[in-house]
Amino acid sequence: MGIDKSSFMPLYYQIANNLRRDIKKGKYQPNTALPSEYQLMAQYGVSRGTVRDAIKMLLAEGLVTRQRGRGSFVTSPKIEQSLLKLLSFTELMQSQGKTPSAKVIVSKVLHSPSDDTEKSKMAEVAHALRLSLQERILFIERLRLGDEEPLVIERSYFPASMLEALLEYDIEHESIYTIMENELDIKLGHAEQSIEAKVSDNIESEILQISPGSPMLLIKRLAYAVAGEPVEYAEDLYRADRLKLRISTKRSLPHSRESDSESLHMIKPDLQG
Ligand code: 16G
């Protein structure tokens, strides 16, 4: 479709609309290049600045990324996660038709903290897991990938008394939740979650292969076994450009009992901080 140069709608805006529609229709497939700036200038009879403004809009919407010297590439659709289901990363990937995998960064039982930062982190985790400061905590940090694309850094803490056996499994290739439920007989019941924005630091950027300062979603999860005891406290860093969270809500009066109980998990002290 062409553009209407007499329209009140700016030219870059019309070009962005056309490109967006073509991406949605599948004319330009994920991971393939958009026409070059010169091709778009010739196609629409506009200046380079106008084409660049159109591309900038699509960049801001996350529909394309720029690769230096190679042009603009269509991104794959975001991974969609419903906040109503307690899913493992493996199940989330499978629900999107992607193959999950993992790279273990750290897996160890935490002993005495080496500095004050580590000490306060361990105290925070022990509090969330309802453990005393003397009890041992198993820490597992993994990079999770979907179809080989780095998506999440998972930092999970487990009560070592219940889950130290995880160290004997191949957690690069097996799902931790499946091991817990099928091998260790710990059935998961529910989880409290909170979501915050964060920008990536140098180490996180290197692991996730993104530029330092990129937006991320920090999802904290406190998962409970059906019997009611907390079994995992996790702090997961998702690439914000690759994940979309979905939830359906129901209208209820501001101060009704129902709305209070539904929002309880948002203020649960265990997940604060
Ligand atoms: C999800 C969980 C994480 C859990 C992992 C298990 C969130 C925010 N996090 O990433 O806490 O450890 O799944 O995945 O949902 P796995 O069973 O595939 O190893």
Side-chain angles (χ1 to χ4, degrees):
M1 203 165 96
I3 51 172
D4 178 0
K5 291 196 172 170
S6 63
S7 164
F8 65 91
M9 210 187 275
L11 298 181
Y12 78 89
Y13 196 88
Q14 295 184 51
I15 296 172
N17 282 348
N18 285 357
L19 291 171
R20 190 186 303 105
R21 198 198 45 239
D22 287 345
I23 291 171
K24 298 240 152 99
K25 275 196 331 211
K27 179 170 170 193
Y28 305 123
Q29 290 287 321
N31 306 316
T32 62
L34 282 187
S36 69
E37 284 179 3
Y38 287 110
Q39 284 168 321
L40 291 170
M41 284 160 66
Q43 181 183 341
Y44 290 109
V46 295
S47 70
R48 188 168 192 171
T50 303
V51 166
R52 287 198 165 168
D53 285 346
I55 304 278
K56 259 192 224 154
M57 266 189 92
L58 304 179
L59 280 168
E61 292 166 25
L63 285 174
V64 301
T65 52
R66 232 194 250 295
Q67 293 186 13
R68 205 178 300 156
R70 298 186 61 211
S72 304
F73 282 71
V74 180
T75 48
S76 358
K78 287 187 180 179
I79 291 147
E80 281 202 40
Q81 178 169 15
S82 161
L83 288 171
L84 296 177
K85 292 185 194 151
L86 173 50
L87 291 182
S88 68
F89 182 82
T90 302
E91 290 162 341
L92 173 64
M93 286 303 109
Q94 286 166 347
S95 74
Q96 313 280 308
K98 290 183 181 285
T99 306
S101 58
K103 289 200 174 107
V104 175
I105 303 167
V106 180
S107 81
K108 63 174 183 185
V109 173
L110 302 176
H111 290 287
S112 30
S114 57
D115 57 32
D116 281 354
T117 322
E118 221 177 283
K119 195 169 172 182
S120 70
K121 185 82 224 171
M122 276 173 77
E124 179 195 336
V125 173
H127 174 74
L129 290 173
R130 297 191 206 142
L131 301 175
S132 71
L133 292 178
Q134 285 68 45
E135 283 174 277
R136 290 150 68 246
I137 293 167
L138 170 65
F139 174 55
I140 295 179
E141 180 174 18
R142 292 183 299 174
L143 166 67
R144 304 306 303 267
L145 307 97
D147 284 349
E148 303 294 321
E149 180 187 29
L151 297 173
V152 191
I153 301 173
E154 281 175 358
R155 294 176 177 147
S156 292
Y157 302 84
F158 306 91
S161 57
M162 289 173 85
L163 284 150
E164 197 170 349
L166 279 176
L167 291 175
E168 291 155 29
Y169 289 86
D170 179 5
I171 52 170
E172 293 228 324
H173 299 101
E174 286 184 67
S175 149
I176 287 188
Y177 281 4
T178 305
I179 300 170
M180 283 166 79
E181 303 201 303
N182 296 353
E183 311 275 333
L184 306 176
D185 208 21
I186 296 172
K187 306 275 182 254
L188 290 155
H190 71 286
E192 315 279 356
Q193 290 193 189
S194 68
I195 303 156
E196 296 164 61
K198 189 185 175 299
V199 292
S200 60
D201 65 22
N202 287 346
I203 296 176
E204 293 155 357
S205 307
E206 204 180 310
I207 298 173
L208 287 170
Q209 292 169 29
I210 50 180
S211 330
S214 298
M216 297 190 298
L217 295 171
L218 165 61
I219 307 190
K220 296 183 182 176
R221 168 182 280 194
L222 184 58
Y224 295 81
V226 274
E229 72 277 32
V231 288
E232 180 194 29
Y233 171 67
E235 293 187 350
D236 296 348
L237 292 166
Y238 286 77
R239 281 175 51 175
D241 61 336
R242 302 297 297 117
L243 183 78
K244 182 193 258 182
L245 296 163
R246 222 173 350 92
I247 188 160
S248 56
T249 53
K250 194 170 75 183
R251 179 147 171 81
S252 57
L253 294 173
H255 298 297
S256 73
R257 270 170 193 228
E258 194 182 10
S259 76
D260 284 352
S261 70
E262 278 178 0
S263 58
L264 246 192
H265 67 283
M266 298 306 292
I267 53 163
K268 181 103 174 151
D270 283 351
L271 275 184
Q272 280 185 349

